[in-house]
Amino acid sequence: MRQPGSWLVRVGVGFVRACVVAAVSMVVPAVLAAAVALGIRWGAANPWSWVLPVVLVCVGTLGLSRPVCRTVRFLVARWTGTVVPAGYRQAGPVTQLSTGYWWNGFGYERSRRDALMDQKWRVRWKDPAIWRDLRFLAVVPFTAGVVASLPPAGLAAAAVGLGRPGAVARVVGVLGLTVAVAGAPYAWRCIEPVAVRFLRASHAMALADRVAELTAQRADTTIVQAAEIRRIERDLHDGAQARLVALGLSLATAEKLMETDPGRARELMRAARSGAASSLNELRELVRGISPPVLSDRGLVEAVRAFALDSPLEVAVTADVRLRLEPPIESALYFGIVELVTNMVKHARATRAQIAITREGARLVVDVEDDGRGGATVRASGGLAGLRQRLAVFDGTLEIAGPAGGPTRARIVVPCESL
């Protein structure tokens, strides 16, 4: 049985929320009413007196559409836990060309400020979400706004009715108080289904956004692959290839000195053997950097444990699953963990780290935590941003929490239906 105190709390909280929903829902009708009152005051019979009110309504509605819808999304997520994605199109990067002009994806401008301003308005006007917001503003006053207005209207009727003499006034006051008290815990809840129905992106919009996201991910993947190929080529050119060329020269010289100076020839042969061993080690390191053999042979968990043994940190690895994923996913997770631990060594000055690999339903979760000084942030051109892009190819996410003073916690989540 519920306590009277908890019921009063529900009534109080519900009344406040109903007032907030009513106020947010009636912002645009209030602008319309103010414009009508202004037109009537200036002269209802004069058609020119309505020019400014009409402009006021149009500008006010467009200007308030996005803030009101964002407020509604925030309230619904805060009160009910239902997240309604905004679905607004994001502006692309603004790039300065060699000619000095700035390209914003639509046209060329002389300055970065002009390019950003032009891009902002073009993206906003071409965004289908603006029409979704306007549709919501037209619907919400007559649905959630009317229902949420019942508790405050009932309380106002109660105050007026109970404050006047007469039986009719008292009946009106009692009815108003009953509506206010009984409806307060529930009147605000109608904002959730209205927001979900009218603020959620349509299937076509969601599909278009997904196509754009996959296109961007494909471009990022192409860039990452090209950079990786250049790195492998540079390592081969500067390392193993140079040593093999030197090895060939040493063998050719030793062959010429074999009859005239056998001692010098033996020294060159020993140097060539040492160079061959070094080249072999470099090739093994290069192969390990591309795809560690232990990852291919024994899977992600054992590869992470093998890496932990070679790490300068004291790394504890826990895993409640023994699994084999697709090779691209295993590779992305492995090198993501390696990069996180490497950053902990280079930047966080950590001495210990913990790696936990767990399964949560159809998701694989990797938690990495250190005892360092913290302060980790994701910069646009940093390694963590690149790691986030590589994980996004598999719909994976990377979350970093690195407050000053530590510890730094990183979480990688990758959906995998095969788990």
Side-chain angles (χ1 to χ4, degrees):
M1 184 176 180
R2 293 181 177 177
Q3 298 295 328
S6 63
W7 180 78
L8 290 176
V9 170
R10 291 180 64 242
V11 171
V13 172
F15 184 82
V16 172
R17 291 181 177 180
C19 292
V20 172
V21 171
V24 173
S25 303
M26 297 300 177
V27 169
V28 173
V31 173
L32 178 61
V36 171
L38 185 62
I40 294 174
R41 181 178 178 84
W42 284 354
N46 184 5
W48 294 103
S49 64
W50 291 96
V51 174
L52 184 59
V54 170
V55 173
L56 176 63
V57 170
C58 295
V59 174
T61 302
L62 291 174
L64 291 172
S65 61
R66 187 161 293 188
V68 169
C69 293
R70 283 177 173 171
T71 303
V72 171
R73 291 188 183 94
F74 170 77
L75 294 177
V76 171
R78 181 72 178 272
W79 293 344
T80 67
T82 302
V83 178
V84 182
Y88 297 121
R89 288 184 176 176
Q90 301 297 323
V94 175
T95 308
Q96 187 177 20
L97 304 179
S98 59
T99 58
Y101 284 83
W102 292 81
W103 170 254
N104 60 10
F106 301 96
Y108 301 94
E109 300 294 337
R110 291 183 177 274
S111 65
R112 186 174 186 272
R113 177 179 175 275
D114 293 340
L116 290 174
M117 186 65 65
D118 177 71
Q119 182 192 58
K120 173 184 176 182
W121 288 109
R122 285 178 181 267
V123 169
R124 176 165 293 190
W125 283 113
K126 291 178 179 295
D127 192 352
I130 187 173
W131 306 110
R132 185 174 69 240
D133 291 349
L134 292 176
R135 181 188 62 178
F136 176 78
L137 292 182
V139 170
V140 70
F142 304 102
T143 53
V146 172
V147 178
S149 299
L150 292 178
L155 184 63
V160 174
L162 297 178
R164 292 183 177 182
V168 176
R170 285 196 296 271
V171 171
V172 171
V174 171
L175 289 177
L177 185 61
T178 302
V179 170
V181 173
Y186 310 102
W188 63 272
R189 296 183 181 274
C190 58
I191 191 64
E192 179 186 4
V194 175
V196 171
R197 171 62 181 83
F198 293 99
L199 281 184
R200 185 176 56 187
S202 65
H203 179 71
M205 293 180 184
L207 184 60
D209 293 340
R210 181 58 175 167
V211 170
E213 180 183 357
L214 292 176
T215 302
Q217 290 178 359
R218 183 181 63 181
D220 293 337
T221 304
T222 303
I223 294 173
V224 171
Q225 289 177 346
E228 187 68 14
I229 291 174
R230 288 194 299 269
R231 182 189 69 83
I232 295 173
E233 181 182 6
R234 184 176 60 252
D235 291 344
L236 286 173
H237 183 272
D238 297 340
Q241 180 178 340
R243 290 184 181 275
L244 291 175
V245 171
L247 175 62
L249 294 175
S250 298
L251 291 176
T253 305
E255 184 180 4
K256 294 179 180 180
L257 296 176
M258 188 65 69
E259 295 181 358
T260 59
D261 192 352
R264 177 61 178 165
R266 283 193 294 270
E267 292 179 3
L268 290 175
M269 295 292 288
R270 285 194 293 267
R273 184 177 59 184
S274 177
S278 300
S279 299
L280 182 60
N281 290 331
E282 288 187 4
L283 289 174
R284 287 173 176 171
E285 291 294 329
L286 183 61
V287 171
R288 190 177 294 112
I290 299 173
S291 179
V294 66
L295 180 62
S296 304
D297 297 338
R298 305 181 64 181
L300 175 65
V301 175
E302 297 302 327
V304 172
R305 285 174 175 163
F307 166 74
L309 294 176
D310 296 333
S311 175
L313 294 180
E314 181 183 344
V315 181
V317 180
T318 58
D320 60 357
V321 289
R322 287 185 176 272
L323 72 167
R324 292 306 305 265
L325 305 174
E326 295 295 328
I329 300 178
E330 283 189 337
S331 179
L333 289 173
Y334 174 80
F335 286 108
I337 295 172
V338 170
E339 184 163 351
L340 290 174
V341 176
T342 303
N343 287 341
M344 292 174 181
V345 175
K346 293 171 58 178
H347 306 294
R349 298 180 182 176
T351 58
R352 292 189 303 274
Q354 296 180 352
I355 302 173
I357 304 175
T358 58
R359 181 174 59 187
E360 295 181 0
R363 304 188 308 167
L364 185 67
V365 181
V366 179
D367 292 303
V368 183
E369 182 178 349
D370 67 5
D371 62 347
R373 59 182 181 178
T377 57
V378 181
R379 296 188 299 273
S381 58
L384 294 178
L387 173 58
R388 181 171 287 176
Q389 291 176 352
R390 291 195 297 272
L391 293 172
V393 176
F394 308 101
D395 288 336
T397 60
L398 170 65
E399 299 176 0
I400 300 291
T408 300
R409 297 183 179 89
R411 165 167 281 206
I412 299 175
V413 180
V414 175
C416 187
E417 295 293 338
S418 61
L419 291 176

